[in-house]
Amino acid sequence: MAKASSSSMFSKILLFKTSWFNKVVKFTWIAFLVVLVGVPLYIYSVIWNPFNLFGEMPSFRMVENPQNDLSSEVISADGASLGRYFRFNRSAVTYDQLPPLLVKTLIISEDHRFYDHAGMDLQSYFRVVKGVVLGGGQGGGSTLTQQTAKNLFHTRSEELRGHFGYLASPLDMLISKTKEWIIAVQLEKNFTKEEIICLYLNTVPFNNNAYGIKVASETYFGKSPAKLDLHEAALLVGMLQGTVRFNPREHPERALNKRNQVLHKLLDHGYIKTEKAYDSLKQLPLDLNFSVQNHNEGLATYFRTVLRQDLDKWCKERDIDLLESGLKIYTTIDSRMQMLAEQAVAEHMSKVQRDFETALGSRNPWEGAGGEEITDFLQKKIKRTDIYKTLEKRYGAGADSIEIVLKKKKRMKVFAWGGDKFVDFSFYDSLRYYNRFLQTGLMAMNPQTGEVKAWVGGLSHRYFKYDHVRQGMRQAGSTFKPFVYGKAMEDGYSPCTELLDISPTLKVSGTVYRVKNANGTYGDGTKYTLRHGLAKSLNTITMQLMEKMQPKNVVDFAVRLGITAKLDPVYSLALGTSDVSLFEMVGAYCTFANLGIRTKPFYITRIEDKNGNVLQNFVPQTEQVLDENTAYTMVYMLKGGVEEEGGTSASLSTAVTLGNEVGGKTGTTDDASDAWYIGITHNLVTGVWVGGDERSIRFPSWGEGASTRSALPIWDRFMSKIYAHPEIGYRKGYFKQPKQFTRSFDCDGASDDSAADYSTGR
């Protein structure tokens, strides 16, 4: 009986073992088949995406030639970056431009077996699985190549999600990870390790609209990646584990701790040699030089805005996306000259504004022709604003709610010369505040090459968008007079020709028209040479010439020199009553300084694609429109403003005039709405305009708003700064004389000495 029982027990055990063994074998076979068939089938399903179950995958051709959307960069003549046009602010660097310390920090911190795997790191996956089973954070396990795949192809975006991705988050993550594994393997087949590092660092986001290491270095430290120090590289690499969480601007302590963790990894892997060196590095502050790149910041903001309009047209004709194509736009702007121009404008315009406020007192600056305040100025202007139009659509025309909203005060940041400030303003307060500011424009151009070297379109692009170089059109005042004199010189008149300071009597539309000089008189009968008359900017002398030349001929002369605005062929044109831009006035004056060759102002030299291929070269457009002798004679005439007694340019500093040939012309309109100065040297012509955004905004008196107080000092400051920096290349010198100069100036009186010096070319 016992034997039977024992035998039965043995049979049961044997049966159990056999059953267990069969189950293990069955499970093993199933697992083997799943791995052998199921995994490949799953991978192929992810690749081919049947019925959009898994979402789209990039084609292998795309993986072989990844298109990394890049911002287009504006580059100055001296190689500096002026800014970018971007949807996502990203700019590429090559591997050679990456410092070894940055590459080493990245690999040690993010993927220290990077050079040992082919896109997938199995050890990291086992670590992640262990972390999930045991609990605790163990990292994501993604290699640099996988992260590159994610950044390049946006594998976790809504657009690439299939039907399965909406069922559960873990399933969606698995599918996304699978796509990244597949792409990573393909990337490793098609690119070197160095190229993958570049792809990664050029695509990774760093928050604050900074994409890629180049823009991140500039944004957080104000330097290129090549100039990063080790602790700075560690901070940026540490941000990659959470650009929001470890943002040094928003969370400095957290970012500092993460940076030091990265530095400790470098110590553990032997890149930092000693504990002492590590301790020294971790004691360093963040030392940020933070500046978010946008279209309102940096150099030449107004220029970049105007340039954008030209580039949009150029790109449209070629079906190019300016914001994501990675173009390199090489310009004629010199970043050093641009900086000096912006400094000169800021330094003097802050003084002009103080003088303006003092002169106004409690008055508002918007005045009618008779000097009376325009009482409904703000009401009319606010109706042209976008906010008013929006409120009108919301509440209906004439609704009381519109005025209630416009008069409600709120906290806002406003422009101020001492630095931006916060105030409690209503929309009306803001409009009143900003319309009390005088504006300005400055453009400098090389007369021989046509290159625009500096462009300041206003006070601050963040607060004042209107460009006063090319967009602004205002009365030229007396800066138009050289075109009248130029026509006279062309017709055979000499700088030594003498006229009496007497206003001519002209009949215009049946009425008698007589012009007054700036002192309010019709002239005192004194005899002046034409050179001296232009130097003193006598309206009486100019109008006599206008009568002799006739308005239509003067218009034709100005157009020949490059004025493109509509000029009214009337006698008052001699005093600059037609609207022109600073851009075209500077270009026209360059014709005098360039021996009669009109060179159209240009500011783009070439455009390259992201690979450095030249898409188009730009060359100046030139034409001989004036006889060399006539042009040279007009240079002599314009020098009279500096050299003749009582000349309007006499206040220029010796820092500019000493050992230098300088000519120039002031211009102030009758109502002091516009003040101009255009100065010429042998290699640089610069124009300055000062005035209000509205013509009705002006100094209470003509003398207070005269160009000698507002526009001329800006030119003088700018040129003084240029000459203080000879390394820029614009040194003092003398105007080039025609090879066959057939005229000589031997005027009696004050101009003899200067004429003699000039005729010999010194």
Side-chain angles (χ1 to χ4, degrees):
M1 193 72 176
K3 285 183 178 181
S5 176
S6 177
S7 175
S8 175
M9 180 67 69
F10 178 77
S11 297
K12 288 180 178 179
I13 292 172
L14 184 62
L15 182 64
F16 173 77
K17 287 183 175 181
T18 302
S19 175
W20 178 83
F21 178 77
N22 289 337
K23 288 180 179 179
V24 170
V25 171
K26 183 178 180 181
F27 176 79
T28 302
W29 274 104
I30 291 172
F32 177 74
L33 290 172
V34 166
V35 173
L36 186 67
V37 179
V39 171
L41 181 62
Y42 165 70
I43 292 174
Y44 277 108
S45 297
V46 171
I47 294 173
W48 298 112
N49 187 31
F51 309 109
N52 196 34
L53 296 175
F54 299 92
E56 292 293 330
M57 273 280 292
S59 68
F60 288 120
R61 180 175 295 180
M62 290 176 62
V63 175
E64 291 171 3
N65 298 282
Q67 297 297 312
N68 179 21
D69 294 335
L70 298 172
S71 55
S72 292
E73 188 171 16
V74 180
I75 302 170
S76 71
D78 55 315
S81 176
L82 294 177
R84 298 185 179 92
Y85 305 113
F86 54 83
R87 193 166 286 115
F88 303 101
N89 191 13
R90 179 186 291 124
S91 184
V93 293
T94 63
Y95 188 81
D96 293 338
Q97 294 172 314
L98 297 172
L101 64 87
L102 173 64
V103 175
K104 197 70 175 179
T105 302
L106 174 69
I107 292 173
I108 290 175
S109 177
E110 294 296 303
D111 188 358
H112 65 271
R113 284 183 291 275
F114 175 69
Y115 287 105
D116 300 324
H117 63 67
M120 299 172 64
D121 186 358
L122 295 179
Q123 291 187 50
S124 292
Y125 302 150
F126 288 135
R127 173 176 52 81
V128 173
V129 171
K130 180 181 176 182
V132 172
V133 173
L134 300 179
Q138 295 294 322
S142 290
T143 64
L144 280 177
T145 316
Q146 288 172 244
Q147 293 180 53
T148 302
K150 180 180 70 174
N151 295 335
L152 272 175
F153 300 104
H154 312 292
T155 52
R156 303 182 188 185
S157 66
E158 187 72 21
E159 293 80 4
L160 299 185
R161 180 180 291 180
H163 297 312
F164 283 160
Y166 292 97
L167 296 179
S169 293
L171 181 59
D172 185 33
M173 179 59 70
L174 174 62
I175 294 171
S176 296
K177 283 281 190 182
T178 303
K179 292 178 181 179
E180 291 160 17
W181 291 333
I182 296 168
I183 297 170
V185 171
Q186 291 299 316
L187 289 174
E188 291 277 353
K189 288 181 180 179
N190 288 284
F191 297 95
T192 65
K193 290 290 187 179
E194 288 74 18
E195 288 171 334
I196 291 172
I197 289 173
C198 254
L199 282 172
Y200 175 74
L201 285 174
N202 283 331
T203 56
V204 66
F206 283 89
N207 209 276
N208 290 303
N209 202 25
Y211 292 81
I213 191 64
K214 184 175 188 293
V215 178
S217 300
E218 294 168 350
T219 299
Y220 292 101
F221 296 109
K223 60 175 67 174
S224 67
K227 296 181 180 179
L228 288 172
D229 295 322
L230 184 58
H231 68 285
E232 295 168 336
L235 175 69
L236 294 176
V237 169
M239 287 182 67
L240 299 175
Q241 297 181 24
T243 55
V244 175
R245 179 174 174 77
F246 301 116
N247 186 316
R249 284 279 292 177
E250 303 297 328
H251 309 289
E253 290 187 13
R254 203 181 289 166
L256 185 64
N257 291 334
K258 175 54 68 176
R259 182 203 71 178
N260 291 343
Q261 290 175 20
V262 173
L263 291 172
H264 199 274
K265 284 185 180 181
L266 299 181
L267 175 67
D268 290 342
H269 284 80
Y271 188 70
I272 296 177
K273 302 301 182 183
T274 64
E275 285 277 355
K276 183 178 180 181
Y278 164 71
D279 289 337
S280 297
L281 286 169
K282 77 174 186 178
Q283 296 302 321
L284 294 173
L286 292 179
D287 198 23
L288 299 179
N289 183 12
F290 183 78
S291 176
V292 174
Q293 297 186 16
N294 60 56
H295 303 306
N296 293 319
E297 303 296 335
L299 288 173
T301 49
Y302 289 92
F303 168 74
R304 282 186 273 136
T305 300
V306 173
L307 177 63
R308 168 73 184 272
Q309 298 168 8
D310 294 341
L311 291 173
D312 281 341
K313 181 181 178 182
W314 186 90
C315 288
K316 185 177 181 180
E317 292 171 351
R318 293 159 178 80
D319 195 26
I320 294 174
D321 186 345
L322 175 65
L323 304 182
E324 295 186 359
S325 58
L327 297 179
K328 300 291 185 184
I329 301 104
Y330 292 88
T331 71
T332 63
I333 296 292
D334 187 297
S335 68
R336 300 161 298 179
M337 296 174 74
Q338 179 68 31
M339 180 178 65
L340 297 178
E342 293 183 9
Q343 289 175 359
V345 164
E347 289 168 5
H348 190 67
M349 283 305 295
S350 60
K351 178 184 182 303
V352 171
Q353 189 64 39
R354 289 195 301 270
D355 293 344
F356 187 52
E357 294 294 342
T358 300
L360 288 174
S362 60
R363 300 165 54 187
N364 286 317
W366 36 90
E367 296 180 346
E372 73 287 353
E373 180 180 338
I374 304 173
T375 55
D376 59 350
F377 175 85
L378 293 178
Q379 286 75 13
K380 285 183 176 179
K381 188 158 187 177
I382 207 165
K383 289 182 178 180
R384 302 198 300 266
T385 64
D386 291 335
I387 182 63
Y388 187 90
K389 293 172 184 176
T390 300
L391 293 173
E392 198 171 42
K393 287 181 181 179
R394 182 184 302 173
Y395 298 113
D400 293 339
S401 298
I402 296 176
E403 286 296 304
I404 293 173
V405 173
L406 293 174
K407 292 179 179 179
K408 184 178 180 180
K409 294 183 183 294
K410 64 177 182 178
R411 197 72 170 166
M412 62 177 68
K413 186 165 67 171
V414 297
F415 171 81
W417 276 117
D420 296 348
K421 61 182 182 180
F422 284 93
V423 294
D424 293 318
F425 272 179
S426 68
F427 286 110
Y428 272 114
D429 295 333
S430 176
L431 195 65
R432 179 182 296 105
Y433 177 78
Y434 281 121
N435 275 277
R436 289 180 69 93
F437 279 94
L438 292 177
Q439 297 294 328
T440 189
L442 177 151
M443 188 180 107
M445 175 178 163
N446 184 315
Q448 281 77 43
T449 66
E451 297 176 342
V452 176
K453 308 307 296 183
W455 183 308
V456 183
L459 307 181
S460 167
H461 193 266
R462 176 182 296 277
Y463 297 100
F464 307 98
K465 302 298 186 189
Y466 194 79
D467 170 64
H468 293 284
V469 172
R470 196 169 78 175
Q471 188 178 3
M473 302 284 289
R474 299 295 282 263
Q475 291 185 341
S478 292
T479 55
F480 195 87
K481 288 178 179 177
F483 302 129
V484 181
Y485 285 83
K487 179 58 182 169
M489 297 302 110
E490 185 176 59
D491 284 4
Y493 282 77
S494 164
C496 304
T497 300
E498 295 179 327
L499 292 176
L500 297 176
D501 178 17
I502 298 174
S503 180
T505 300
L506 304 172
K507 288 187 177 181
V508 179
S509 301
T511 60
V512 175
Y513 172 63
R514 295 186 70 197
V515 65
K516 293 181 181 180
N517 286 322
N519 61 11
T521 71
Y522 292 104
D524 60 10
T526 303
K527 185 183 293 185
Y528 288 98
T529 64
L530 294 186
R531 186 182 195 240
H532 202 176
L534 178 62
K536 291 176 67 70
S537 197
L538 296 173
N539 295 339
T540 53
I541 302 292
T542 305
M543 194 57 70
Q544 290 179 60
L545 277 185
M546 187 60 147
E547 184 181 20
K548 298 175 186 298
M549 297 302 106
Q550 286 298 296
K552 177 64 170 62
N553 295 324
V554 172
V555 168
D556 293 342
F557 183 87
V559 169
R560 245 193 298 148
L561 268 62
I563 300 298
T564 58
K566 183 181 181 300
L567 301 176
D568 296 323
V570 294
Y571 286 113
S572 61
L573 175 64
L575 308 182
T577 53
S578 287
D579 289 349
V580 292
S581 71
L582 184 62
F583 182 82
E584 58 190 334
M585 286 292 286
V586 171
Y589 269 62
C590 281
T591 307
F592 295 137
N594 196 27
L595 292 179
I597 299 175
R598 183 188 69 200
T599 303
K600 185 177 180 180
F602 83 110
Y603 37 78
I604 307 175
T605 55
R606 73 181 185 277
I607 299 177
E608 296 178 356
D609 67 14
K610 65 181 179 181
N611 298 314
N613 300 311
V614 177
L615 301 180
Q616 185 173 346
N617 284 307
F618 296 81
V619 295
Q621 301 175 31
T622 63
E623 182 182 359
Q624 185 82 45
V625 297
L626 202 59
D627 178 77
E628 286 187 351
N629 291 320
T630 301
Y632 192 53
T633 301
M634 278 308 301
V635 168
Y636 173 68
M637 292 285 288
L638 289 167
K639 286 176 56 187
V642 179
E643 299 171 348
E644 294 279 2
E645 182 182 354
T648 56
S649 297
S651 60
L652 292 175
S653 65
T654 55
V656 174
T657 60
L658 189 63
N660 195 27
E661 285 195 325
V662 177
K665 188 69 194 77
T666 55
T668 310
T669 54
D670 284 345
D671 56 6
S673 293
D674 304 277
W676 297 70
Y677 189 76
I678 302 179
I680 66 171
T681 65
H682 71 107
N683 56 7
L684 197 65
V685 174
T686 303
V688 180
W689 169 88
V690 175
D693 267 337
E694 300 281 347
R695 297 174 195 269
S696 59
I697 298 171
R698 50 182 176 264
F699 272 93
S701 72
W702 187 91
E704 291 169 319
S707 60
T708 50
R709 294 190 177 189
S710 54
L712 181 147
I714 293 175
W715 188 92
D716 192 59
R717 282 176 180 266
F718 173 60
M719 295 305 297
S720 297
K721 292 175 184 291
I722 291 292
Y723 293 138
H725 292 274
E727 71 279 4
I728 295 177
Y730 281 80
R731 295 177 172 85
K732 295 179 179 181
Y734 305 102
F735 290 97
K736 185 178 179 181
Q737 183 173 323
K739 294 179 181 179
Q740 300 295 327
F741 189 54
T742 59
R743 295 184 178 182
S744 63
F745 308 119
D746 188 18
C747 308
D748 294 330
S751 62
D752 281 353
D753 293 339
S754 57
D757 287 342
Y758 184 85
S759 63
T760 60
R762 295 188 182 178

